[in-house]
Structures are given as C-alpha cells and as structure tokens.
Amino acid sequence: MTPARKKPNINTSPLELMPDFQFAVSVDCVIFGYENDMLKVLLIKSDLPEFKSKWSLLGDLVHPDEDLDAASYRVLRERTGLEDVFLEQVHTFGQLNRHPAGRVVTTAYFSLINVKDHQLKQLDNELHWHPVNDIKTMAFDHKVILDTCHKTLQKKIQEEPIIFNLLEKKFSLRDLQNLYEAILGVSLDRRNFRKKLFTTDLLTDLDEMEKDVPHRPGKLYTFNHARYAKMKKKTFVGIDF
Amino acid sequence: MTPARKKPNINTSPLELMPDFQFAVSVDCVIFGYENDMLKVLLIKSDLPEFKSKWSLLGDLVHPDEDLDAASYRVLRERTGLEDVFLEQVHTFGQLNRHPAGRVVTTAYFSLINVKDHQLKQLDNELHWHPVNDIKTMAFDHKVILDTCHKTLQKKIQEEPIIFNLLEKKFSLRDLQNLYEAILGVSLDRRNFRKKLFTTDLLTDLDEMEKDVPHRPGKLYTFNHARYAKMKKKTFVGIDF
DNA sequence: GCAAAAGTGTTCACATTACACCCATGG
DNA sequence: CCATGGGTGTAATGTGAACACTTTTGC
C-alpha cells in the first residue's frame, strides 16, 4: 500500500478548482426549554415535501462570511429573539445521505433558554415547544442529533452549573430539583439534593418566598454567577470509569 | 425585526444552485502516542508555503462519497497503516480565515495508538512524533485544535478507560501510572493509584514479569475489555460542579 | 382540618487521602 | 552493597445514600 497524495489537494490547488470537494455546511440548533415540569425542545415543521409531516430542528446554511458559531447564534436569534444565551457546539454530522438535496454537513449546537424570557419569532411553520420524551421521529437525521444533544445535556449538567439557564432568575429548590429530575429521568432524594446544592455555595438566598402556590411556599434563590467564576479554576483529578 | 427566509434556502433549491454556500470540508486527526514517558502527537511538515517551517496535523479533504468518520479513518490508515484503533470526533472548527486557500471547515478527531504497534507510512514531509508539551506553534489553527483535543483527552481518560489504547497489550502498573501522569500533568500517589486500579477490576494479572529492567521487575497486566463491556451499562447520577 | 409540599439531621457504608518501610533485581 | 523502583496497610477524613417527622400555607 502506497497511499500517495490524492488527486485533489487543498495544499496545491485553490479551492475553486475543486468543485467536487465542496459541500454545503449547515448548523442545527437544539434549543432546550423547561415548561410544565418537562424538558422541551423548540421544533418547526419541515418544509421539505420529503418530510412533510415531520418535525425539524432549527437550522440554516452557514453563510460564506460567517463563522460556524456565528451562524448558530444567528439561527437562535432569528427564531427566539434572544441574545447572550447559552449555546455550545456538540457534534458534527456528515453522513452521505442525511439531506435529500445533496451533501450537507451539519454542526449541531445545543442551547438552554428560559422559555418565559422570550417571545417566539417567526410563528410560521408551527414553531413549537415539544416535550423531548414524546418525540419519536423527526425529519432528516434530526432525531439522532436530538438524542446526542440530550445525552450531552445530561452529562454536562452534572459537570457544570449550566442548568440555571433553563430557569427564571428566581427559583425554588423544588423547581431546580424537578428540572434535574426531568433532564436526567431519575428521582433524587430531596434532603440530599438540598444539602448538595447548599454545599456548592452557588445559590444566593433571596429572602423571598414563592407566591400563589397551594401549599407552603418555598424560599427563592438565584444562581451566584460571580461565586462560580471564582471557584471554577480548581483543577480536578480523579479516575472514575 | 422580521427575520424571514434567507435568499438561498436549502429547502427550496437544489444545492447546485447555491455555489456561494459551498465550502471545503476537511478532517484533521490528532494522533496521540506515548513514548519515553511523554505524550506525543504525530505531525507532518506543512507543504503550504505560508507555513513552510510549521508543523501540521494529519488531515485531508473529505471526499464527496465519504462520511466524515470514514475520512478520518482513511487519513489515519494512510499515515499509520493501522486499522481498528480508537478514533473519536472532538470538535469542528469553522473560523473564516483558518485556511489560506479559502473557506475550509474542519472536523477534528483524536486517536490513541500504541506507538510500537505500527510503522509510520509515507515518510515524506518529515512525519514525526512530537512531545505535546514542546509544541509552541503550528500551521493554520492547528495549535488550537491540538489544545482542544489534549483537554478532551485529559477529561476522557478520567471517565472511560481509553488510556489503554496508548500502551502495549502487556504493561506494568508503573507504565500505566506514568502515562496518567504524563497526560494529566500531575503526580499521583503510587499506593492509592494501585488500589484504585485494582478496585476497578479491569486489569488481568498475567503472572508475568517485566524483563531487562535495572531494578526489581514489576508484574505485567492486561486490560480486561470483556469485564469493562459488562460493567459499562451502569448509570450514574451525581452532581459535581 | 386536610392536602400538599417545605424544611430539617443522623447514621452507615464507602471512597479518598496521606503516609513509610521492606523487597527484589541488575550492575 | 548500592541504586532503583516494586510491593504493601492503616488511620483519618470526606462523601453519598438512606431514611421520617414537623411546619406552613391555601382551600
């Protein structure tokens, strides 16, 4: 085997001379929200005839003068009107036949937003929140992308306090625990959960109470960003297969 | 703001009609190895005049009929002659001016191989192993890609027993500990390390000894893949910021 | 007063850390 | 016999898991 230089070589030809090696590149945003004790994702009806009745992630082609990250922020902004929200790259999907129109490589991002913080923009194509657990099929390979992002979300909320992006500024411990349980699909011991959260020292007690609840109101807290920024630096070493 | 449908739309035009929305797509492989107590990475001299004296990751354009994963396996195979090795996608880099030839989006993969298991193929362009800690600058944005993959490696060896891919089949506990220390850049207590590794129950004692060492020889072990496959299923829940 | 959820401590098992000495081998 | 690393145990501390009763509020 002498695996020599392939015919087209980016190092010796300008890109324009290699039309066969040009793909479309898109971004797809998995926008998670939390509503009625359920983890939800923002989806739109596909406008491709092939996927007429299927739901699709929010995505777009990357513009020629646009970074990947910028493209995903743009999609998010156009659809939700939100800026400065949590958005992170997850994985790139490049299967040959993932898009009926031709070769499209897509980079998936996941975003965490507070459902109540925003107005849905562009209400065509039935842009809607869907409970993640109810979604069985989607257009393209979007179900695979959603599942990948859901797993990434499950893992990351155990490593970093990103979960607060899904809640309103003020929340009760019960809100927070319900959200963990909704995302992880498990139930947690209430006392241990509270203890754990307080030892992280990342919650600021607002000395306020829930209102209009048909039971004893809980205290409200807020996430202490500043304190997290300080403690984040610590290195960690531990082997845990 | 009425963020309406953008002019070019993949859902309404065949891709061929959107030449401005076509990019080159490449893969870059960060191939890690372990030699002389150092974590190393396999690099090649860039053949672009812009980066004449700089080192570059092993990469190539993705072929039109090739998945991303297949492309990275191909690059790895062509350069190392190896098949069936650990290779995993890490991140996609799509900065506007990351490649002088034009718009190239690249997906980075990292691979873990046993340096002694293979013969370097295609020994042109000074394909060489470089200690990761000695590398200061690289061609393109490859230093950023390398750093990203190094961090991913550091994180993943603490979560999954992928580190064994870097060692020979038979290894001593000292080998394994040195490797952890080289990758993580820390030093670990020897007794605690051994205890920890034995409680994972993933090492098979071969009842063999090191040979030709200028000190008391250590026992040799091998990684028990079967046992790991069995125990892997366990779910884990724990919040750890 | 009833329903619903808030708030609160202790115990036990297990994991992590810190730490020091003798042993086997090659030279 | 000396240099080098191999091999081993224990005590203290910290962490995670299990578990039940009283309190506050709205109705």
Side-chain angles (χ1 to χ4, degrees):
Chain A
M1 182 166 50
T2 40
R5 183 104 337 116
K6 296 288 162 185
K7 299 143 280 174
N9 186 316
I10 199 174
N11 291 330
T12 52
S13 331
L15 285 180
E16 301 77 62
L17 300 181
M18 300 184 287
D20 290 349
F21 286 78
Q22 308 264 314
F23 306 165
V25 175
S26 65
V27 290
D28 282 298
C29 295
V30 177
I31 303 172
F32 288 113
Y34 178 56
E35 205 178 35
N36 300 128
D37 279 2
M38 285 181 288
L39 181 67
K40 297 191 176 180
V41 61
L42 197 52
L43 302 180
I44 198 169
K45 271 271 170 71
S46 171
D47 46 9
L48 273 196
E50 286 93 334
F51 295 118
K52 201 187 285 200
S53 64
K54 305 256 176 154
W55 295 95
S56 165
L57 296 170
L58 304 181
D60 196 9
L61 289 174
V62 177
H63 294 185
D65 57 348
E66 191 181 46
D67 284 351
L68 285 187
D69 291 354
S72 61
Y73 271 107
R74 175 173 54 79
V75 168
L76 187 65
R77 192 183 335 107
E78 286 175 0
R79 297 300 190 165
T80 66
L82 293 174
E83 312 250 12
D84 299 320
V85 295
F86 178 91
L87 182 67
E88 204 172 282
Q89 192 191 116
V90 174
H91 195 85
T92 296
F93 297 83
Q95 293 290 115
L96 283 180
N97 296 312
R98 55 172 301 283
H99 200 295
R103 188 72 195 266
V104 184
V105 170
T106 198
T107 298
Y109 285 76
F110 84 113
S111 178
L112 304 179
I113 73 173
N114 171 10
V115 172
K116 299 209 178 124
D117 253 10
H118 85 295
Q119 313 282 355
L120 294 187
K121 299 267 161 162
Q122 205 172 318
L123 287 161
D124 57 333
N125 287 64
E126 307 181 45
L127 184 65
H128 278 311
W129 288 104
H130 295 254
V132 169
N133 289 331
D134 291 355
I135 300 166
K136 305 295 176 224
T137 62
M138 293 178 74
F140 313 100
D141 54 355
H142 286 187
K143 183 60 162 66
V144 174
I145 297 177
L146 172 59
D147 290 346
T148 303
C149 289
H150 188 193
K151 276 186 202 116
T152 300
L153 173 63
Q154 291 178 323
K155 194 169 168 217
K156 287 214 85 154
I157 60 169
Q158 300 181 53
E159 297 171 350
E160 290 169 57
I162 58 173
I163 199 170
F164 300 101
N165 290 294
L166 289 165
L167 292 171
E168 303 191 66
K169 286 234 166 56
K170 302 175 179 185
F171 52 84
S172 68
L173 277 173
R174 165 78 36 185
D175 291 335
L176 185 57
Q177 184 177 341
N178 284 346
L179 177 51
Y180 269 107
E181 292 178 340
I183 295 175
L184 297 174
V186 297
S187 60
L188 304 170
D189 180 272
R190 203 165 89 256
R191 278 174 293 189
N192 292 337
F193 180 81
R194 298 165 86 90
K195 239 182 302 174
K196 178 79 191 192
L197 265 289
F198 287 133
T199 58
T200 64
D201 207 33
L202 289 173
L203 299 184
T204 303
D205 184 339
L206 291 172
D207 278 317
E208 281 181 66
M209 294 296 194
E210 291 180 296
K211 302 259 185 241
D212 304 315
V213 288
H215 55 76
R216 175 173 174 181
K219 277 188 164 192
L220 293 178
Y221 298 87
T222 195
F223 174 62
N224 193 327
H225 289 87
R227 197 136 2 144
Y228 178 62
K230 260 192 216 163
M231 59 171 266
K232 202 162 47 169
K233 300 158 199 160
K234 286 179 213 157
T235 43
F236 65 111
V237 176
I239 302 154
D240 253 312
F241 300 150
Chain B
M1 183 164 52
T2 39
R5 186 113 325 125
K6 296 288 162 185
K7 298 142 277 175
N9 187 317
I10 198 175
N11 291 331
T12 53
S13 330
L15 285 179
E16 298 81 333
L17 299 180
M18 299 184 286
D20 289 351
F21 286 77
Q22 308 265 314
F23 306 165
V25 175
S26 66
V27 289
D28 281 299
C29 296
V30 176
I31 303 173
F32 288 112
Y34 179 56
E35 204 177 35
N36 301 128
D37 278 2
M38 285 180 288
L39 182 67
K40 297 191 175 179
V41 60
L42 196 53
L43 302 180
I44 197 169
K45 271 271 171 70
S46 171
D47 46 10
L48 273 196
E50 287 93 333
F51 295 117
K52 201 187 285 199
S53 65
K54 305 258 175 151
W55 295 95
S56 165
L57 297 170
L58 304 181
D60 196 7
L61 289 174
V62 178
H63 293 184
D65 57 348
E66 191 181 46
D67 284 351
L68 286 186
D69 291 353
S72 61
Y73 271 107
R74 175 172 54 79
V75 168
L76 186 65
R77 191 183 334 109
E78 286 174 1
R79 296 301 190 165
T80 66
L82 293 175
E83 311 248 13
D84 298 320
V85 295
F86 178 91
L87 182 67
E88 203 172 285
Q89 191 191 116
V90 174
H91 196 84
T92 297
F93 297 84
Q95 293 291 115
L96 283 181
N97 296 311
R98 52 171 305 282
H99 200 296
R103 188 71 197 267
V104 184
V105 170
T106 198
T107 299
Y109 285 76
F110 84 113
S111 178
L112 304 179
I113 72 174
N114 171 9
V115 171
K116 297 207 179 124
D117 253 11
H118 85 296
Q119 314 281 357
L120 294 187
K121 300 267 162 160
Q122 204 173 320
L123 287 161
D124 58 334
N125 288 62
E126 307 181 44
L127 184 65
H128 278 313
W129 288 104
H130 296 254
V132 169
N133 289 331
D134 292 354
I135 300 167
K136 305 294 178 225
T137 63
M138 295 179 71
F140 312 99
D141 55 354
H142 285 187
K143 182 62 161 67
V144 174
I145 297 178
L146 172 59
D147 290 345
T148 303
C149 289
H150 187 192
K151 276 186 203 118
T152 300
L153 173 63
Q154 291 179 323
K155 195 171 167 213
K156 287 213 84 152
I157 60 169
Q158 300 182 52
E159 297 171 351
E160 289 168 58
I162 58 173
I163 199 171
F164 300 101
N165 290 294
L166 289 164
L167 292 171
E168 303 190 67
K169 285 236 166 54
K170 301 174 180 186
F171 52 85
S172 68
L173 277 172
R174 164 79 38 187
D175 293 335
L176 185 57
Q177 184 178 342
N178 284 346
L179 178 51
Y180 269 107
E181 292 177 340
I183 295 176
L184 297 175
V186 298
S187 60
L188 303 170
D189 180 271
R190 202 164 90 255
R191 277 174 293 188
N192 293 338
F193 179 82
R194 299 165 86 87
K195 237 183 305 174
K196 177 81 190 190
L197 264 289
F198 287 134
T199 57
T200 63
D201 207 34
L202 289 174
L203 299 184
T204 304
D205 184 340
L206 291 173
D207 277 315
E208 282 181 67
M209 294 296 194
E210 290 180 296
K211 303 255 184 244
D212 304 316
V213 288
H215 55 75
R216 174 175 174 181
K219 278 188 162 189
L220 294 178
Y221 298 87
T222 195
F223 174 62
N224 192 328
H225 288 86
R227 199 142 352 150
Y228 178 61
K230 259 191 215 163
M231 60 172 264
K232 203 163 44 170
K233 299 159 200 159
K234 286 180 213 157
T235 42
F236 64 112
V237 176
I239 302 155
D240 253 313
F241 301 149

